[in-house]
Amino acid sequence: MKTKKELNFHSVEIKGPRVLLRPISTDLAEDIFREFTNEITRYMVPASPDDIGQIDSFIARSQNGMDDQDELVLAITRISDGEFLGVCGLHGKTSPDTPELGVWLKKSAHGRGLGREAVYHLAKWAQENILFSYMLYPVDKDNIASRKIAEYLGGDVFREGSRKSLSGRLLNEVVYKITRVK
């Protein structure tokens, strides 16, 4: 991804009213491993991990991507007590001009608007710091909560299709195009 000014992705912190987004790090491996379950990955391309080594590899790949400024992968934590809530990211390796937003929250954090808050502030940060034509937000058609996030951000359906997840499920994907966040 091209930035508007020189940035170190490893030092990016983004605050919302209730969440702090901070670069993913190895100290979160156990939290991610515990919370990234089959239920959480139901509508996602990645599969839940079989062992913590897969999480270690994910974190290392994410950090390498941040070194290269191909992606920004952030842990979502609660401001009040630092509790780990999930992960969000902006991925531009495949297409730097149209980076992809993504998010997941642990089960106990669902239904409180925390995902929407995290993605909104990440998208606003991207708008201020990254050069892009538009952002993409892919989501399974049946994942109503994630679809509401894309629509809250002003996203319009860009394309639809199907995609196989790494756990073998067929995802009915809707990809939202987000040009400008309000």
Side-chain angles (χ1 to χ4, degrees):
M1 293 182 288
K2 292 183 181 176
T3 60
K4 294 180 180 179
K5 58 187 174 189
E6 194 163 323
L7 290 170
N8 175 352
F9 281 14
H10 292 281
S11 64
V12 170
E13 285 195 349
I14 303 168
K15 285 186 182 179
R18 300 175 294 162
V19 299
L20 171 66
L21 311 180
R22 63 180 180 90
I24 196 158
S25 60
T26 55
D27 65 316
L28 298 168
E30 288 183 22
D31 288 323
I32 295 169
F33 179 68
R34 182 179 54 254
E35 303 295 348
F36 199 59
T37 64
N38 286 331
E39 183 177 7
I40 296 302
T41 62
R42 176 178 172 197
Y43 296 121
M44 299 175 66
V45 172
S48 61
D50 295 323
D51 60 66
I52 199 159
Q54 291 174 307
I55 299 302
D56 293 333
S57 295
F58 161 73
I59 291 170
R61 284 190 311 275
S62 297
Q63 290 176 331
N64 289 337
M66 291 191 302
D67 288 341
D68 298 337
Q69 293 191 336
D70 290 331
E71 64 181 342
L72 178 62
V73 182
L74 303 168
I76 305 167
T77 59
R78 189 170 30 225
I79 284 181
S80 63
D81 61 6
E83 180 183 342
F84 172 80
L85 301 172
V87 174
C88 64
L90 184 66
H91 311 282
K93 187 173 189 166
T94 307
S95 180
D97 194 43
T98 57
E100 186 175 293
L101 290 163
V103 64
W104 68 267
L105 291 177
K106 66 182 185 176
K107 180 70 175 165
S108 63
H110 286 189
R112 298 182 190 154
L114 297 166
R116 179 176 70 188
E117 182 179 327
V119 175
Y120 172 80
H121 288 285
L122 175 58
K124 287 293 280 184
W125 179 90
Q127 199 167 272
E128 295 165 5
N129 293 282
I130 304 294
L131 296 168
F132 60 86
S133 296
Y134 53 86
M135 292 177 280
L136 298 173
Y137 189 109
V139 59
D140 187 277
K141 194 178 267 189
D142 294 331
N143 189 344
I144 303 304
S146 279
R147 291 188 72 174
K148 286 181 179 181
I149 291 172
E151 291 163 4
Y152 175 79
L153 295 175
D156 295 310
V157 174
F158 181 61
R159 68 175 175 258
E160 296 184 38
S162 57
R163 188 172 177 184
K164 196 168 192 173
S165 75
L166 294 175
S167 60
R169 288 187 294 269
L170 186 63
L171 302 173
N172 294 310
E173 193 172 64
V174 177
V175 180
Y176 287 86
K177 179 180 181 179
I178 301 164
T179 306
R180 189 128 191 92
V181 180
K182 317 172 217 164

